Amino acid sequence: MPVRERRGVSREELQQSALVAVAVLLVLGVFAAWSVLIPGVSAWENIIVAVIGSLRLTGPVAAAFAAWVAVRRRRGTGRQSLTTWQAVRAPLAILVVVGGSFTATLLVMAVRTMLTEQAGRLLPSGLVMGMAGLALYVAIGWVTGWLLPWTITPMFAGLGCYGLFTWLVQGATWADRLAPATREPYDPFRGLSAAALTNQTLWLLGVSAALLLGWAAVVTRQALVLAAALLAVLAAGTGVARLLSEPKTISAQRVVYSCQEWPIMVCVHPGMRTGLPELGSAFVKIASRLAGTPGEFSRLEQHPRNGDVALPAGAAPIHVDDLATGFADEVADEFVENLAQECTDTPARGYRDIVVAWLLGKPLPSGPLPEHEYAAAWFSGLTDAQRREWLRQHYSDFAGCRLQSTYFAGQVGDTGQTVQAGQAGQPGQAGQIAPYPQVNPPYQAPAAVPPLPSVAPYSPGDAPAEKPRREARHRG
């Protein structure tokens, strides 16, 4: 029998298996990385996080492949003595194979983004950390396969790695920093910490080298290899100590906003500048309806969800997580919902929902109670100018969730128009009452409140349609 066959795996078989492994790892890597990408964010950090995130699938497959080769190699060598190079040559070759698939995944993800301007910077420390994570998967798979030379061991190694690192990443303790993954969720405003990635690389490389060299020391029985393994343990301990001494959260970095000045001023992270037109269209109506009220704004700025920020006069914060389909409507809904606090009782919540629906341009809800239906009918009979004046007077009650039935009755003044509870809804002649469909609530109608002063019809600050859109950059 040829020597190669007695060793359990021939060179040709190993080469074919390596090609299959590269193909599988590339497909899984691209799929996993694409699922981690934040939709619409054009930033190099987004690519790095996505490629590192692909390890959650490619890592266990690499561990299973390393375990399979180790099982075949163990059966072929038996109790044959090995030199240090003979011992570590196979796992290092496996690391080269899986590293090639990692590099190919990065290139596939970067091809599309290289053609457009990207925010941020490409951190080499992030790419090195990804390779170090793969090295840990390979080391675990190789040692497991050598110690347990069973047919089921590769599957056991792959599933074990997946379960272990998934548990570490999802855990709420310090242990999540030890996994070969970035801290989630990724925030474009906070970016990535090069120091944290370097410390994580030191830990991953140290523990990987400690596993392989420790195994090699046992197989070769050489004291020098054992000393090298102890040095690797020291490096891993240094990396862990530096990781644990870092703050859990990364402070927000200073960014140069990308802004669009028409139809309203909207400023976002430069990696999300493609979403400016949709955000401007979604907020122009809200801006016009809040004009003249305490909630009035002339500028929108994107900010991270955590942490207090100083805003210039007339600016309001918005939170944009991604640019997926319908993102602008979701941002607008969240913005309006945050104008008023949540209501704990049903009556106040029904009145609050009426005002929120109007600000968002949605149909006014009838509400769970009869008085809500009456209030919605009364509010729908007002013009937008009257509703703005009404909101200006009752804004504190709206924000504090203290609206009452008495606020949705009486007369509301407007230029050449008066609306009374239960009647008047269309503009009439100056000083006259325009007819309005009679509202017959099944209870005693709320008492009238003093009429609101008349206001001139509001002209929103919409620029002419032919005014070109202009994008500018402002330092946040």
Side-chain angles (χ1 to χ4, degrees):
M1 182 180 293
V3 177
R4 292 177 181 175
E5 293 184 4
R6 290 202 306 268
R7 291 183 178 178
V9 55
S10 64
R11 185 183 301 274
E12 293 75 12
E13 185 180 8
L14 184 59
Q15 290 176 349
Q16 293 175 0
S17 301
L19 292 176
V20 173
V22 169
V24 172
L25 289 173
L26 178 58
V27 173
L28 286 179
V30 172
F31 171 77
W34 208 270
S35 65
V36 176
L37 276 177
I38 302 179
V41 177
S42 300
W44 283 114
E45 292 92 342
N46 193 25
I47 301 296
I48 295 176
V49 171
V51 175
I52 295 177
S54 68
L55 297 183
R56 64 186 176 91
L57 291 183
T58 58
V61 174
F65 176 63
W68 177 80
V69 177
V71 169
R72 301 294 296 272
R73 189 68 182 273
R74 174 69 184 276
R75 290 175 178 177
T77 57
R79 297 182 179 275
Q80 180 183 355
S81 61
L82 299 174
T83 64
T84 303
W85 172 243
Q86 289 175 337
V88 301
R89 182 174 56 185
L92 290 180
I94 296 173
L95 182 57
V96 171
V97 170
V98 299
S101 67
F102 179 84
T103 304
T105 301
L106 173 63
L107 292 177
V108 170
M109 298 299 298
V111 163
R112 180 179 61 87
T113 57
M114 286 180 180
L115 302 177
T116 59
E117 181 183 358
Q118 299 294 305
R121 54 197 177 99
L122 184 62
L123 293 176
S125 56
L127 304 180
V128 176
M129 195 276 279
M131 289 293 297
L134 273 179
L136 179 57
Y137 279 105
V138 170
I140 293 176
W142 178 266
V143 174
T144 303
W146 189 273
L147 297 179
L148 304 174
W150 307 330
T151 305
I152 199 175
T153 298
M155 181 180 298
F156 173 75
L159 294 178
C161 286
Y162 181 83
L164 172 63
F165 291 117
T166 299
W167 173 72
L168 287 178
V169 170
Q170 295 179 352
T173 62
W174 53 268
D176 63 334
R177 308 187 188 191
L178 305 182
T182 57
R183 302 174 189 175
E184 296 182 355
Y186 161 67
D187 188 345
F189 279 90
R190 302 189 186 280
L192 298 176
S193 171
L197 292 173
T198 302
N199 296 333
Q200 199 169 4
T201 301
L202 181 61
W203 147 252
L204 293 173
L205 287 180
V207 69
S208 301
L211 284 174
L212 286 178
L213 292 176
W215 163 81
V218 172
V219 173
T220 61
R221 296 184 176 88
Q222 295 185 12
L224 187 60
V225 179
L226 180 59
L230 294 178
L231 289 177
V233 171
L234 180 61
T238 303
V240 170
R242 297 180 63 176
L243 275 175
L244 298 183
S245 63
E246 294 177 354
K248 178 85 173 180
T249 57
I250 304 174
S251 58
Q253 57 186 356
R254 190 175 181 85
V255 300
V256 178
Y257 282 109
S258 291
C259 299
Q260 179 176 285
E261 301 181 9
W262 187 90
I264 59 175
M265 175 70 78
V266 183
C267 298
V268 298
H269 185 277
M272 296 186 176
R273 57 186 175 275
T274 56
L276 285 172
E278 290 187 54
L279 287 173
S281 300
F283 275 90
V284 63
K285 290 288 187 180
I286 298 175
S288 67
R289 288 166 180 164
L290 287 174
T293 71
E296 180 180 12
F297 63 88
S298 58
R299 174 188 174 99
L300 292 173
E301 285 187 6
Q302 180 192 7
H303 286 280
R305 294 184 179 276
N306 298 327
D308 298 330
V309 293
L311 295 172
I318 56 175
H319 308 296
V320 186
D321 298 323
D322 54 52
L323 302 185
T325 303
F327 80 94
D329 293 334
E330 294 179 1
V331 174
D333 290 351
E334 179 184 8
F335 176 83
V336 174
E337 289 287 345
N338 289 337
L339 293 177
Q341 66 183 36
E342 290 291 335
C343 300
T344 56
D345 58 302
T346 301
R349 183 169 60 252
Y351 298 128
R352 174 187 180 276
D353 292 344
I354 293 175
V355 182
V356 168
W358 166 63
L359 291 174
L360 292 173
K362 299 180 179 179
L364 302 186
S366 57
L369 301 178
E371 53 263 37
H372 295 151
E373 182 178 356
Y374 176 86
W378 180 85
F379 201 70
S380 65
L382 306 180
T383 64
D384 272 355
Q386 291 173 320
R387 291 171 184 170
R388 279 192 296 272
E389 177 61 22
W390 179 93
L391 181 60
R392 184 189 66 80
Q393 292 194 4
H394 301 298
Y395 190 88
S396 61
D397 295 312
F398 163 67
C401 203
R402 296 186 300 269
L403 293 178
Q404 304 175 14
S405 60
T406 55
Y407 296 167
F408 295 86
Q411 296 181 346
V412 178
D414 190 16
T415 304
Q417 180 182 0
T418 305
V419 179
Q420 291 184 336
Q423 60 179 337
Q426 303 295 331
Q429 300 296 328
Q432 297 182 356
I433 304 298
Y436 180 73
Q438 183 68 30
V439 178
N440 297 316
Y443 61 94
Q444 181 65 34
V449 296
L452 302 178
S454 61
V455 297
Y458 175 77
S459 298
D462 296 340
E466 65 275 9
K467 181 179 179 179
R469 295 179 177 179
R470 182 177 55 187
E471 182 176 308
R473 295 184 181 272
H474 296 259
R475 183 169 299 276

